[in-house]
Amino acid sequence: NNNNNNNSNPTKNKAAAATDKVKVHFVAVGSAPILKRSKFQIGADQPFAAVMNFLRKLLKLNNKNDSNKASALFLYVQSAFVPSPEENVGDLRNAFAVRDELVVHYSIQEAWG
C-alpha cells in the first residue's frame, strides 16, 4: 500500500523545513551601487551576518580597501533598524516580510539611525 507512504512523510517535512529559504530583496539607498539582480534566496536558518557577508561579496566590498580601512556597509530592515548579526533570517522574514520578501535596504554610509 504505497499510497499511504506518499501522502504525508514527517521525515520529508522536517527536511523541507531544514532547507527553508527566505527571499531577500536588496534595495540600494543613496550612493550605494545598484545590483543587476536584487532578489536572492538565503537559508532561513542563517544568521543575518550571512546576509551582510553575501552582500559585501556581491558589491565587491573587501574587508580592507587600499587605505587599509574597512569598506562601510549599512543594512536596514523596514528602512529603520539594523538587525543584530546573530538574528535568524527566518525570524526576520516571519516578523517583517512584505509580500513574502525580506526587504533589506543597503547603503555605504549611514542612511537612517
Side-chain angles (χ1 to χ4, degrees):
N1 204 349
N2 287 341
N3 288 342
N4 289 343
N5 290 340
N6 292 336
N7 287 342
S8 67
N9 184 342
T11 307
K12 200 174 196 178
N13 291 342
K14 284 182 185 175
T19 59
D20 187 23
K21 299 281 186 179
V22 174
K23 186 187 286 183
V24 178
H25 182 180
F26 292 114
V27 179
V29 176
S31 60
I34 296 173
L35 297 169
K36 289 180 183 173
R37 181 175 158 219
S38 63
K39 295 181 184 182
F40 298 89
Q41 299 283 332
I42 296 178
D45 60 342
Q46 294 292 313
F48 192 70
V51 175
M52 295 172 70
N53 292 334
F54 178 72
L55 183 57
R56 187 171 283 284
K57 286 178 187 172
L58 284 175
L59 296 172
K60 298 181 174 118
L61 294 175
N62 299 330
N63 288 334
K64 303 253 182 197
N65 60 20
D66 292 335
S67 65
N68 255 356
K69 186 177 169 189
S71 299
L73 180 63
F74 300 92
L75 302 183
Y76 303 91
V77 171
Q78 296 246 318
S79 304
F81 77 97
V82 179
S84 164
E86 296 84 27
E87 190 75 43
N88 183 283
V89 173
D91 291 343
L92 288 168
R93 175 205 45 207
N94 293 343
F96 303 107
V98 176
R99 291 184 291 279
D100 207 31
E101 293 179 348
L102 180 62
V103 179
V104 177
H105 291 83
Y106 65 95
S107 178
I108 54 175
Q109 55 197 12
E110 272 192 86
W112 294 281

